[in-house]
Amino acid sequence: MLIEQVSVFVGGLGQDGAMGFWADRKAKRAFKDAISGYEFEHAKWAHDIEIFNKIKSAFESAIKGDDAVSNLTVQKRGEIVIWVGQGQYHEAGRTPGQYVGGSQGLSIPLVAGIRYRVGAMRGSFVPGDAIQAYKEVGEVLLSTERLMFNGTFNTKEWAFAKWNGAATSDDESDYIFHVGNRQKTSGILFDQSVGREFNRFLAQAINAAESGLASVITTVNKVLKDLAEDEPKKPELIVPSAIAAPPATPT
């Protein structure tokens, strides 16, 4: 019965009509996928516009000598806070090590359940794997001179004057910072929705430390201009059946 119904449907449309139907359906599916991609890219684009407008406003306040956000940190002379958020502090560490091999010697009983071993250890101690040990969540402050973390048990700062570099994860949520006065690397993990904003504020804070506050305004104005020109374009639905067929060529 199903085969008969399909045959009737195709026969009613004609061979060209059936092919046109499936071509239209395929085009509509592709359009739906394109719309989903457009909405994602446009939302990310709009978020960047919002972020860079916030950066511009923050540094305009900094030029006037005002903090961009309220905070309770003790600031150095001339230092201005431009961003505040929540993040999780982490630093280089290792998993527990272990001895590989065995031991030899004499085990002497002392009291019930307790023995004392004398003699030589055989084997070698293997240190644990190097990792970033994630610790507490606290307040993260970004100023014109440094990045700071204030927690209940950990307080750290990374001064731009001693900055050697930084690295971030692909989704811009996790950061490792390298500074010249510290052997251990350390960093901060942000919620993914916050990490992208922090990344762009951090770049301009370093820019300001190297080239002055006014240079940030120039840079941000250019970025906003480029973003306005690069707004993602909404795709259009064009179905094959709507395209006029070319006129027949006379024989």
Side-chain angles (χ1 to χ4, degrees):
M1 178 62 70
L2 178 59
I3 296 176
E4 292 178 358
Q5 289 176 347
V6 173
S7 299
V8 171
F9 179 68
V10 173
L13 286 176
Q15 188 66 27
D16 291 341
M19 292 178 64
F21 170 80
W22 293 112
D24 287 355
R25 186 174 181 182
K26 184 177 180 181
K28 289 176 181 177
R29 285 182 176 177
F31 174 73
K32 185 178 180 180
D33 291 341
I35 283 292
S36 296
Y38 159 77
E39 289 174 346
F40 174 79
E41 292 298 329
H42 196 274
K44 189 165 67 172
W45 171 86
H47 188 211
D48 278 346
I49 292 284
E50 179 185 357
I51 290 172
F52 278 100
N53 277 322
K54 288 176 68 174
I55 293 173
K56 183 177 180 179
S57 176
F59 279 92
E60 285 175 343
S61 295
I63 289 173
K64 298 174 184 176
D66 300 327
D67 288 337
V69 288
S70 60
N71 64 93
L72 299 177
T73 189
V74 177
Q75 297 164 228
K76 299 177 181 179
R77 183 178 180 86
E79 181 182 23
I80 299 169
V81 175
I82 57 174
W83 186 88
V84 172
Q86 291 287 312
Q88 183 177 15
Y89 173 74
H90 56 82
E91 66 180 1
R94 286 188 178 275
T95 57
Q98 59 182 336
Y99 277 96
V100 176
S103 61
Q104 61 184 3
L106 179 64
S107 179
I108 303 172
L110 298 179
V111 294
I114 300 178
R115 304 181 71 88
Y116 177 69
R117 177 175 292 278
V118 294
M121 289 294 295
R122 186 177 60 203
S124 58
F125 180 77
V126 178
D129 296 331
I131 60 169
Q132 284 287 316
Y134 289 79
K135 301 188 176 183
E136 63 176 320
V137 174
E139 186 178 56
V140 181
L141 299 100
L142 184 61
S143 79
T144 51
E145 296 187 15
R146 55 183 170 154
L147 172 65
M148 296 162 278
F149 175 85
N150 291 329
T152 304
F153 305 105
N154 296 274
T155 301
K156 300 291 180 181
E157 72 168 34
W158 299 266
F160 297 144
K162 299 177 181 178
W163 195 274
N164 286 340
T168 183
S169 57
D170 290 340
D171 63 359
E172 302 178 280
S173 64
D174 205 353
Y175 294 80
I176 293 177
F177 310 115
H178 308 273
V179 291
N181 62 335
R182 201 174 304 159
Q183 291 183 339
K184 284 187 176 181
T185 59
S186 53
I188 300 173
L189 171 67
F190 294 97
D191 185 89
Q192 189 171 344
S193 61
V194 178
R196 188 175 180 87
E197 178 175 297
F198 169 77
N199 195 359
R200 282 145 184 76
F201 265 90
L202 175 62
Q204 296 311 317
I206 295 172
N207 182 16
E210 293 178 346
S211 305
L213 295 174
S215 67
V216 174
I217 304 300
T218 302
T219 298
V220 170
N221 283 337
K222 183 180 184 307
V223 171
L224 287 170
K225 180 177 180 295
D226 292 341
L227 282 171
E229 295 173 353
D230 293 337
E231 180 178 3
K233 305 300 181 185
K234 187 174 182 179
E236 296 181 6
L237 173 61
I238 301 176
V239 293
S241 63
I243 302 175
T249 303
T251 56

